[in-house]
Amino acid sequence: KAGVTQTPRYLIKTRGQQVTLSCSPISGHRSVSWYQQTPGQGLQFLFEYFSETQRNKGNFPGRFSGRQFSNSRSEMNVSTLELGDSALYLCASSPSHTLNTEAFFGQGTRLTVV
Amino acid sequence: AQSVTQPDIHITVSEGASLELRCNYSYGATPYLFWYVQSPGQGLQLLLKYFSGDTLVQGIKGFEAEFKRSQSSFNLRKPSVHWSDAAEYFCAVGARGGSYIPTFGRGTSLIVHP
């Protein structure tokens, strides 16, 4: 069974641009969550989608948005990029309708904003 | 809201020595507890989880953790560390029931000396 796939693995963007990251969950998993990981803040929850609906949202500005498609694939978008958005963005999928089960993580997308 | 504290930012051990990584949580009831490992440039891999039942939990790669309600702790242990165990370790806590926003600790970096 293929794992969680995130594309691209690395990305360099300029301040002010926007970026879209993609996550393909494990087949059959309907819950997808996104995290931002930085050395200063650690792992912070961005949002979680289940069956194309956003169920939970972390404390991030509206520049961060996401969506989930009918095949459970998910994308997150960051508009008007800031230097502080440089981070490793991790996607995790779960087979359950709640997050209270094991989450499987992708390898992440390393975003660098210059 | 729940919180997680990993008191040790870095831990250095010699190969073959025993290991204990500390994790303390704050939550009003019995939480779900997880330990994840992250190798450089990789996503997070679940080592073990506690939901209920036996408070001593066995995980992959020879790791175990013990849930101690009285101490609000969920420390990770391994009797003999291998050089390949060098990585970042994250403790995470989740609330029971329904969707929730999981909380991760800041992580403990394990350095293994030959």
Side-chain angles (χ1 to χ4, degrees), chain A residues 3 11 17 30 42 47 58-60 63 78 84 86 93 104-105 108:
Chain A
L11 207 50
Q17 287 186 312
R30 295 167 64 190
F47 28 65
N59 189 26
F60 278 82
R63 300 185 296 107
V78 188
S86 295
S93 75
F104 296 81
F105 283 81

Side-chain angles (χ1 to χ4, degrees), chain B residues 41-53:
Chain B
Q42 302 297 314
L44 277 68
Q45 180 184 24
L46 182 71
L47 287 174
L48 47 78
K49 59 190 177 187
Y50 172 78
F51 284 176
S52 64

Side-chain angles (χ1 to χ4, degrees), chain A residues 9 35 37 39-43 45 48 55-58 88 90 97-103 105-107, chain B residues 32 34 36 38 41-46 49 51 88 90 94-102 104-106:
Chain A
R9 288 291 311 277
Y35 298 83
Q37 185 178 25
Q41 299 298 320
L43 264 163
F45 175 82
E48 183 246 348
R55 291 196 306 175
N56 283 292
K57 190 176 191 305
L88 180 67
L90 292 166
H97 69 285
T98 75
L99 289 175
N100 294 345
T101 56
E102 178 176 354
F105 283 81
Q107 291 186 299
Chain B
Y32 294 120
F34 308 86
Y36 286 86
Q38 183 180 34
Q42 302 297 314
L44 277 68
Q45 180 184 24
L46 182 71
K49 59 190 177 187
F51 284 176
E88 191 87 14
F90 293 91
R96 292 181 178 267
S99 298
Y100 74 103
I101 299 174
F104 283 82
R106 294 298 296 271

Side-chain angles (χ1 to χ4, degrees), chain A residues 45-114:
Chain A
F45 175 82
L46 279 157
F47 28 65
E48 183 246 348
Y49 287 87
F50 179 81
S51 293
E52 302 178 66
T53 300
Q54 186 182 90
R55 291 196 306 175
N56 283 292
K57 190 176 191 305
N59 189 26
F60 278 82
R63 300 185 296 107
F64 291 81
S65 63
R67 60 177 176 169
Q68 186 180 34
F69 302 95
S70 58
N71 62 357
S72 292
R73 190 177 70 85
S74 178
E75 290 181 346
M76 69 162 281
N77 184 278
V78 188
S79 62
T80 319
L81 283 166
E82 300 176 359
L83 295 179
D85 297 332
S86 295
L88 180 67
Y89 290 88
L90 292 166
C91 166
S93 75
S94 170
S96 171
H97 69 285
T98 75
L99 289 175
N100 294 345
T101 56
E102 178 176 354
F104 296 81
F105 283 81
Q107 291 186 299
T109 294
R110 172 73 63 184
L111 171 65
T112 302
V113 182
V114 298

Side-chain angles (χ1 to χ4, degrees), chain B residues 81-94:
Chain B
V81 170
H82 188 262
W83 64 266
S84 60
D85 292 325
E88 191 87 14
Y89 291 80
F90 293 91
C91 181
V93 61

